[in-house]
């Protein structure tokens, strides 16, 4: 008597991250919560999609025999360690590195520049340095501020008079003293100046420029500044720049890992931090992803029964990112 025939179990594979599922409905649920799209960071060799570039770095460090591919060996020969792109040969990689690896900006020379009303800008970067107030010096008080444009020109830079008595100048970090702040601008005047810049010289309070920075909510809180969330570009909260567990990276780490130079080696300079945030923003914005993001809720707008009829490629095609990719700012 011949043994009973066994039916091969059908496996369902995610075309973005390559995970395998026994049931189609499990693949659908995975696609709905992963938000895979062309805007996600991905390996330049096998095109595996990851939530963040840090996840891509980890993937590229996995030994080839464990991943069953040759991503690590190819990347070690032809990959850029900053932007993680793969190039045809060593010559092309060397030419690319001359552009990708940046140098630290020169120290700020011009202390203040006022933006002209007719100046055409799309984005400005901001950074504030804080001193400490309160009995234990833990209350953050804005003490200096800098704004730069996309060409790294200073738009506005000044010291700020703290609203409360300073109990800790945090000199090792800020480099500031009581004398520096004595002739600073009032916080209210600083806030009005910043808003005038962000509103394009108009007095209607309507934001017109993208505001770039690192941990913007902290700077805005100390400035007591309100600004539309859809115009904020925060390098601390942008998913592709976060850790694998989606916790924020420091600006110091991001600058070294994605731009190729060091900052904050001594005291923190608002101009230096502004430039780093703007460069990170532009590097993310200038990525080519091949298509614009579709409007709507992606797979969540479909019926479950319809999703389970789709092929893996169709699920991916109809999926959308959980965040707005900065490459869309070029439109």
């Amino acid at each position: 008597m011949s043994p009973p025939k066994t039916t091969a179990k059908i496996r369902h594979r995610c075309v973005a991250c390559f995970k395998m599922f026994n049931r189609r409905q499990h693949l659908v649920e995975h696609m709905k919560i992963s938000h895979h799209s062309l805007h996600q960071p991905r390996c330049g060799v096998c095109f595996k999609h990851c939530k963040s570039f840090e996840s891509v770095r980890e993937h590229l460090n996995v030994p080839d025999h464990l991943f069953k591919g040759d991503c690590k060996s190819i990347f070690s020969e032809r990959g850029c360690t900053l932007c993680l792109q793969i190039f045809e040969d060593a010559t092309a990689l060397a030419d690319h590195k001359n552009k990708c690896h940046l140098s630290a900006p020169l120290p700020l020379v011009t202390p203040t520049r006022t933006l002209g009303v007719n100046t055409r800008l799309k984005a400005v970067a901001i950074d504030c340095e804080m001193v400490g107030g309160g009995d234990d010096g833990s209350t953050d008080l804005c003490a200096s501020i800098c704004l730069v444009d996309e060409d790294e020109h200073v738009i506005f830079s000044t010291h700020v008079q703290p609203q409360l008595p300073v109990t800790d100048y945090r000199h090792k970090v800020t480099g500031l003293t009581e004398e520096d702040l004595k002739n600073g601008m009032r916080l209210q005047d600083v806030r009005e100046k910043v808003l005038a810049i962000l509103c394009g010289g108009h007095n209607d309070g309507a934001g017109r420029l993208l505001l770039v920075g690192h941990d913007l909510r902290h700077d805005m809180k100390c400035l007591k500044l309100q600004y539309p969330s859809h115009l904020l570009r925060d390098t601390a909260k942008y998913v592709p720049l976060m850790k694998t567990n989606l916790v924020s990276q420091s600006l110091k780490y991001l600058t070294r890992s994605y731009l190729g130079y060091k900052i904050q080696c001594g005291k923190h300079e608002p101009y230096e931090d502004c430039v780093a945030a703007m460069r990170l923003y532009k590097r993310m914005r200038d990525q080519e992803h091949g298509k614009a993001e579709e409007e709507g809720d992606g797979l969540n707008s479909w019926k479950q029964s319809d999703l389970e009829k789709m092929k893996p490629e169709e699920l991916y095609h109809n999926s959308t990112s959980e965040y707005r990719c900065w490459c869309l700012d070029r439109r």
Side-chain angles (χ1 to χ4, degrees):
M1 184 174 179
S2 61
K5 294 182 179 180
T6 58
T7 304
K9 184 179 290 187
I10 298 176
R11 302 270 284 172
H12 305 276
R13 182 174 185 261
C14 173
V15 298
C17 68
F18 311 147
K19 288 183 178 179
M20 302 293 291
F21 300 89
N22 291 329
R23 296 185 178 183
R24 183 180 293 273
Q25 67 188 66
H26 293 162
L27 170 62
V28 170
E29 290 304 315
H30 162 76
M31 291 296 296
K32 289 171 71 174
I33 64 175
S34 62
H35 299 280
H36 288 313
S37 81
L38 284 173
H39 294 280
Q40 280 187 320
R42 48 187 168 165
C43 171
V45 181
C46 70
F47 302 111
K48 177 183 178 181
H49 291 47
C50 300
K51 281 190 173 294
S52 68
F53 284 106
E54 210 61 25
S55 298
V56 178
R57 291 182 194 276
E58 290 186 3
H59 164 75
L60 291 169
N61 280 319
V62 174
D64 291 342
H65 70 280
L66 294 179
F67 180 68
K68 299 180 181 179
D70 51 4
C71 299
K72 182 176 182 179
S73 58
I74 291 178
F75 181 77
S76 64
E77 296 174 359
R78 298 188 278 115
C80 175
T81 56
L82 295 182
C83 67
L84 307 183
Q85 292 186 64
I86 306 295
F87 295 86
E88 290 294 328
D89 50 44
T91 301
L93 174 60
D95 291 340
H96 165 79
K97 283 185 175 181
N98 291 332
K99 301 175 183 178
C100 196
H101 287 63
L102 304 180
S103 300
L106 297 174
L108 178 61
V109 177
T110 305
T112 305
R113 176 186 170 204
T114 301
L115 179 71
V117 175
N118 295 324
T119 301
R120 298 175 65 87
L121 294 175
K122 291 184 178 180
V124 297
I126 189 173
D127 183 72
C128 300
E129 286 301 322
M130 316 297 176
V131 293
D135 294 338
D136 59 356
S138 62
T139 301
D140 288 334
L141 304 171
C142 183
S144 63
I145 183 173
C146 182
L147 274 75
V148 303
D149 62 20
E150 293 182 56
D151 296 321
E152 302 173 11
H153 297 141
V154 176
I155 300 171
F156 178 55
S157 176
T158 186
H159 289 136
V160 183
Q161 292 180 9
Q163 289 189 304
L164 298 174
V166 178
T167 54
D168 185 359
Y169 284 90
R170 305 173 182 173
H171 183 73
K172 289 184 178 179
V173 175
T174 66
L176 297 173
T177 64
E178 181 179 1
E179 188 67 25
D180 293 325
L181 306 186
K182 187 178 297 183
N183 297 318
M185 289 181 65
R186 294 188 310 148
L187 182 63
Q188 179 179 346
D189 296 333
V190 170
R191 184 168 56 250
E192 290 176 357
K193 176 75 73 173
V194 172
L195 279 173
I197 292 170
L198 296 176
C199 296
H202 298 273
N203 295 321
D204 55 9
R208 289 172 172 79
L209 303 181
L210 298 175
L211 182 59
V212 178
H214 189 79
D215 195 9
L216 280 171
R217 294 297 180 186
H218 183 229
D219 288 344
M220 292 171 64
K221 180 180 178 181
C222 291
L223 286 171
K224 298 181 179 179
L225 177 71
Q226 299 290 331
Y227 202 62
S229 59
H230 72 278
L231 295 175
L232 301 181
R233 299 294 181 266
D234 195 336
T235 56
K237 302 299 181 183
Y238 190 53
V239 173
L241 291 177
M242 300 176 83
K243 296 180 181 180
T244 54
N245 59 355
L246 299 184
V247 173
S248 299
Q249 300 274 19
S250 69
L251 182 61
K252 184 174 184 176
Y253 174 84
L254 292 176
T255 303
R256 183 178 71 251
S257 300
Y258 293 88
L259 303 178
Y261 66 93
K262 297 180 180 180
I263 62 170
Q264 302 175 352
C265 297
K267 66 177 184 178
H268 293 197
E269 294 286 353
Y271 172 69
E272 182 180 61
D273 290 355
C274 270
V275 170
M278 180 60 81
R279 288 177 174 180
L280 286 166
Y281 165 70
K282 290 168 65 177
R283 182 146 293 182
M284 295 295 106
R285 181 198 65 187
D286 293 342
Q287 291 186 334
E288 296 290 346
H289 292 145
K291 72 168 185 176
E293 186 73 69
E294 287 92 353
E295 299 294 333
D297 297 328
L299 299 180
N300 289 320
S301 62
W302 292 75
K303 292 181 180 180
Q304 181 73 14
S305 57
D306 292 333
L307 291 173
E308 293 182 11
K309 295 175 183 177
M310 292 184 184
K311 296 179 180 178
E313 293 80 7
E314 293 176 304
L315 288 170
Y316 176 72
H317 176 76
N318 289 297
S319 178
T320 55
S321 297
E322 60 186 326
Y323 57 88
R324 187 184 190 279
C325 184
W326 289 352
C327 79
L328 302 176
D329 290 343
R330 298 201 310 271
R331 294 190 304 184

